[in-house]
């Protein structure tokens, strides 16, 4: 999977902002990325402190860009742009103060085209990564929400890889049917970037009307709206998980469906089901989970777990850059 993403980046190299430039995990991943010539780290922080932290860990970061909010030459233009973006919600002084923080400064570097994408959250909370993105990068035209998906990968017996997409497992707590349509279409697009042919299942405790309730109605409505919005995609539902993944069960309950029994892209009714579902696949199914991958923004911004390691930073940097 990563070989394909790297090959894509080699054809069109990118720059990625890391908002926590002195963090040893960021520096280790940056040193590894600099071994290629397809993704340039932009490290936010005081240059002396960043270089000292790199030297302490013996991380070779020659070739990385280091930018310090305290001495950034383009700060006045950045403040002016941020005031415009916040449309009276923040004064120039408030914007200047916010831009001294790595999360806001890094996000504005992407907004102003200095970098292509951003990866944060090694020390920031998810909210502190997502909030500047919503305020400054904003959602794509036609999108009303930011959502997320996880990409899950497991080696199979023949030496290949089984790849799944699951959304939304991290951002939207109880999405409406219209929000689920956005989640489904963005998750399918993300799956395609990873080389998947998405077969999208809207999951429920009901298969094709076998159960009743508001949540069933919501998933059925979302499925029908998604089909209308993207007739080129294979989408079906509502269906239970066994009908989604077992050809025997799926084709019995949904005869002739392109999705039932063969689904690889799963849309959950709410964050409870999604978060539990991907973690079951990760912990009991032996899948590697990559994400959450934020979807629906005008530029790729992604969030790390504060418990991440350098290998996870490296993987998420490649994924983030491949989305740009």
């Amino acid at each position: 999977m990563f070989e394909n993403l790297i090959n894509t980046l080699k054809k069109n190299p990118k720059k990625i902002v890391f908002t926590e430039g002195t963090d040893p995990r960021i520096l280790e991943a940056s040193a590894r990325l600099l071994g290629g010539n397809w993704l340039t780290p932009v490290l936010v922080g005081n240059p002396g402190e960043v270089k000292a932290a790199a030297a302490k860990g013996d991380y070779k970061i020659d070739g990385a860009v280091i930018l310090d909010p305290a001495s950034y030459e383009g700060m006045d233009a950045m403040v002016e742009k941020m005031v415009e973006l916040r449309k009276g919600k923040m004064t120039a002084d408030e914007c200047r103060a916010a831009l001294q923080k790595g999360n806001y400064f890094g996000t504005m570097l992407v907004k102003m085209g200095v970098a292509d994408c951003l990866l944060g959250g090694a020390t920031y909370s998810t909210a502190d990564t997502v909030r500047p993105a919503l305020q400054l990068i904003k959602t794509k035209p036609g999108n009303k929400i930011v959502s997320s998906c996880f990409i899950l990968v497991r080696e199979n017996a023949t030496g290949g890889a089984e790849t799944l997409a699951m959304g939304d497992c991290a951002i939207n707590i109880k999405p409406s049917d219209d929000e689920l349509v956005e989640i489904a279409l963005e998750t399918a697009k993300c799956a395609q970037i990873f080389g998947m042919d998405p077969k999208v299942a809207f999951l429920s405790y009901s298969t094709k009307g076998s159960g009743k309730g508001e949540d069933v109605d919501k998933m059925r409505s979302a499925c029908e709206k998604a089909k209308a919005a993207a007739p080129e995609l294979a989408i079906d539902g509502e269906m239970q998980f066994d009908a989604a993944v077992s050809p025997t069960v799926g084709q019995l309950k949904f005869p002739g469906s392109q999705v039932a029994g063969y689904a690889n892209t799963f849309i959950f009714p709410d964050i409870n089901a999604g978060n539990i579902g991907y973690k079951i696949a990760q912990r009991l199914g032996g899948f590697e989970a990559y994400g959450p991958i934020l979807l629906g923004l005008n530029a790729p911004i992604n969030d790390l777990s504060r418990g991440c390691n350098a290998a996870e930073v490296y993987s998420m940097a490649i994924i983030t850059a491949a989305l740009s």
Side-chain angles (χ1 to χ4, degrees):
M1 179 183 78
F2 283 98
E3 183 178 347
N4 291 336
L5 298 180
I6 289 169
N7 285 337
T8 299
L9 289 171
K10 284 179 178 178
K11 296 173 186 175
N12 188 15
K14 304 289 184 180
K15 290 183 178 179
I16 184 168
V17 175
F18 290 108
T19 54
E20 297 120 324
T22 59
D23 189 283
R25 298 163 294 178
I26 301 297
L27 292 166
E28 183 178 345
S30 294
R32 186 176 173 189
L33 289 168
L34 287 163
N37 59 0
W38 35 267
L39 187 55
T40 301
V42 178
L43 303 171
V44 174
N46 175 276
E49 293 176 0
V50 171
K51 291 175 182 178
K56 183 177 180 180
D58 197 26
Y59 303 128
K60 308 300 182 187
I61 60 166
D62 295 340
V65 178
I66 304 173
L67 295 178
D68 184 359
S71 58
Y72 184 58
E73 291 183 358
M75 182 57 74
D76 288 344
M78 187 177 278
V79 170
E80 184 179 347
K81 182 65 175 177
M82 185 169 169
V83 170
E84 177 189 330
L85 291 167
R86 296 300 288 137
K87 294 180 180 177
K89 295 177 181 176
M90 294 176 72
T91 66
D93 286 344
E94 289 169 336
C95 288
R96 193 176 295 274
L99 287 167
Q100 296 307 304
K101 301 174 183 177
N103 56 341
Y104 275 94
F105 179 69
T107 303
M108 280 301 295
L109 289 174
V110 175
K111 182 65 180 181
M112 299 187 77
V114 178
D116 301 289
C117 51
L118 177 147
L119 185 59
T123 58
Y124 286 110
S125 69
T126 296
D128 285 337
T129 300
V130 175
R131 188 183 306 110
L134 284 171
Q135 293 174 346
L136 305 174
I137 301 296
K138 304 184 180 180
T139 55
K140 297 176 187 175
N143 282 47
K144 295 181 180 179
I145 61 168
V146 174
S147 60
S148 74
C149 75
F150 279 82
I151 298 295
L152 293 100
V153 182
R154 178 176 66 183
E155 289 187 14
N156 58 33
T158 60
E162 181 182 1
T163 307
L164 308 175
M166 295 185 174
D168 178 351
C169 307
I171 300 293
N172 294 284
I173 294 173
K174 197 170 181 63
S176 67
D177 57 348
D178 288 330
E179 289 170 337
L180 284 164
V181 173
E182 273 196 43
I183 290 165
L185 300 187
E186 289 294 332
T187 300
K189 289 176 189 174
C190 187
Q192 289 171 332
I193 290 170
F194 285 86
M196 295 170 60
D197 177 18
K199 291 179 172 54
V200 184
F202 280 78
L203 298 177
S204 176
Y205 58 82
S206 165
T207 300
K208 207 175 181 181
S210 65
K212 306 296 180 186
E214 289 183 9
D215 286 340
V216 174
D217 294 340
K218 178 178 78 169
M219 296 307 284
R220 184 183 303 120
S221 171
C223 182
E224 293 307 312
K225 289 180 178 181
K227 286 180 178 181
E232 74 283 2
L233 291 175
I235 299 172
D236 229 333
E238 86 288 0
M239 66 181 73
Q240 292 161 287
F241 190 78
D242 58 347
V245 298
S246 166
T248 302
V249 176
Q251 291 303 306
L252 176 66
K253 294 185 175 183
F254 251 118
S257 170
Q258 292 180 275
V259 176
Y262 309 101
N264 57 15
T265 303
F266 303 97
I267 307 305
F268 292 92
D270 57 41
I271 198 172
N272 266 317
N275 194 268
I276 293 166
Y278 101 79
K279 288 185 176 179
I280 289 173
Q282 180 185 30
R283 299 297 178 180
L284 299 183
F287 282 88
E288 292 288 335
Y290 299 98
I293 300 168
L294 300 186
L295 307 172
L297 289 165
N298 265 319
I301 307 286
N302 272 323
D303 178 47
L304 293 162
S305 163
R306 279 175 279 182
C308 67
N309 57 38
E312 291 167 334
V313 175
Y314 176 81
S315 298
M316 281 301 297
I318 294 170
I319 289 169
T320 304
L323 295 170
S324 60

